[in-house]
Amino acid sequence: MVNRPLPQVALESTVISHGLPYPHNVALAQEMEQIIRAGGAEPRTIGIIQGELIAGINADQLLQLATGKNIRKVSRRDLPIVVARKQDGATTVATTMWIAQRFGIEVFATGGIGGVHRGDGTDISADLQELAQTPVIVVCAGAKAILNLPATLEYLETHGVTVVGWGTDEFPAFYSRSSGLPVDVRCDTGQEVAAIWQAKRALHLPGGLLVTVPIPVADEIPAHEIEPVIEQAVADAVAQGLRSAQVTPFLLTRIAELSGDRSLRANLVLLKNNARVAAAIAGALALF
Ligand code: PSU
Ligand code: MN
């Protein structure tokens, strides 16, 4: 019998350093790893420690990224800086994809991707360009409605990124299961996702695949309930004149402050659900 290597699933660290409060961030990171192991795959949480790119941080490194004071949020443009200066860094979806691909990892689970912002439509997350360039399957709960979701989907279409709905025909909006916007294809099994991925690779089409998974029903926050909170958070960001990499972490923190435990719980639930789906996809891919 041939010993096949375990399927692998990458995890990001910006959600740990800048997306969730301590100690929820540490517990969540550990639970996601356990869920992936239970699903028959190997978790590889990605981060940067003293300038070294790591796929599979240990417990000490997790604590450092979860509690450290000056952990830089590292998008693609920041990579050479943290490496040259031997700094610690939390990786966004963009950087996690790029590092995962360097380590030969094809599947990555996260919460929400960045996108085109509301208001300032020139603020477009590097996550979208990374999806256009880097061959990794990103499993997420769609994107937070802090973003302009129609513009985000248009951008993905322009750049040739296929968007899959996991058990749904609609693009999920993170806290809410639906956005009223269609995905390109619905898949109900890991095998279906694996087949699309293999076809894309066989065609030599560059870039990743976005698999969007609706938050489990019991923890959904209906759009009409979360929308006023988002509007308030976006207005506060504008009032403070925030720009560039500061905007998303500010909005995430502000929404958590304004909506309390319910949004935190929803966030944790969907992250764990996405870890489970990612392990299933990685397992299907390994058998393909
Ligand atoms: N959206 C969330 N939670 C997050 C992020 C986005 O609901 O933690 C993080 C991810 O790491 C994502 C990054 O890649 O924010 C996007 O930041 P920006 O918009 O600055 O590209
Ligand atoms: Mn931005």
Side-chain angles (χ1 to χ4, degrees):
M1 212 179 99
V2 186
N3 261 338
R4 280 176 177 272
L6 274 185
Q8 317 240 329
V9 175
L11 298 166
E12 63 151 303
S13 44
T14 290
V15 67
I16 298 170
S17 301
H18 304 284
L20 294 169
Y22 178 83
H24 296 283
N25 52 1
V26 175
L28 181 275
Q30 291 168 338
E31 284 176 82
M32 284 183 85
E33 292 200 353
Q34 271 152 24
I35 289 165
I36 288 164
R37 280 192 200 98
E42 187 185 351
R44 307 279 300 270
T45 301
I46 290 180
I48 304 172
I49 300 290
Q50 294 175 14
E52 191 192 341
L53 312 183
I54 299 179
I57 57 171
N58 64 31
D60 290 340
Q61 292 165 336
L62 169 60
L63 202 61
Q64 166 64 5
L65 292 179
T67 60
K69 286 288 162 277
N70 293 308
I71 307 296
R72 186 173 183 135
K73 176 185 160 200
V74 181
S75 195
R76 182 185 261 256
R77 57 123 191 240
D78 308 296
L79 266 174
I81 306 170
V82 286
V83 169
R85 301 200 167 172
K86 303 197 180 342
Q87 292 167 344
D88 294 339
T91 55
T92 63
V93 168
T95 342
T96 304
M97 286 179 75
W98 190 81
I99 295 173
Q101 158 270 134
R102 275 179 56 112
F103 281 88
I105 307 165
E106 285 184 289
V107 182
F108 160 28
T110 186
I113 58 161
V116 181
H117 276 267
R118 293 188 188 189
D120 183 1
T122 65
D123 183 350
I124 301 171
S125 175
D127 294 353
L128 301 186
Q129 267 303 310
E130 206 64 47
L131 280 160
Q133 299 176 60
T134 301
V136 173
I137 301 174
V138 179
V139 180
C140 70
K144 275 199 177 129
I146 56 174
L147 302 170
N148 180 338
L149 300 182
T152 299
L153 284 172
E154 290 295 346
Y155 192 100
L156 290 169
E157 183 202 340
T158 301
H159 292 88
V161 179
T162 304
V163 179
V164 174
W166 180 266
T168 182
D169 297 301
E170 266 185 65
F171 186 70
F174 199 89
Y175 297 117
S176 319
R177 289 174 59 84
S178 62
S179 63
L181 302 164
V183 291
D184 304 319
V185 62
R186 170 183 175 145
C187 290
D188 293 282
T189 63
Q191 286 78 2
E192 286 177 272
V193 175
I196 291 173
W197 184 243
Q198 293 299 358
K200 179 181 167 84
R201 302 220 73 171
L203 293 167
H204 300 288
L205 287 164
L209 184 67
L210 189 62
V211 177
T212 61
V213 184
I215 181 173
V217 179
D219 291 283
E220 176 180 29
I221 308 179
H224 70 267
E225 285 179 42
I226 197 77
E227 183 58 28
V229 169
I230 290 170
E231 276 171 20
Q232 179 69 53
V234 171
D236 292 348
V238 171
Q240 294 196 21
L242 295 178
R243 307 260 331 136
S244 186
Q246 298 173 308
V247 176
T248 297
F250 173 85
L251 292 173
L252 301 181
T253 308
R254 195 76 187 106
I255 289 172
E257 281 168 9
L258 292 168
S259 62
D261 288 351
R262 192 163 172 213
S263 73
L264 175 61
R265 195 185 141 70
N267 214 332
L268 298 174
V269 165
L270 68 83
L271 279 158
K272 289 186 267 187
N273 190 48
N274 294 347
R276 186 183 58 75
V277 172
I281 293 171
L285 206 56
L287 292 177
F288 216 81

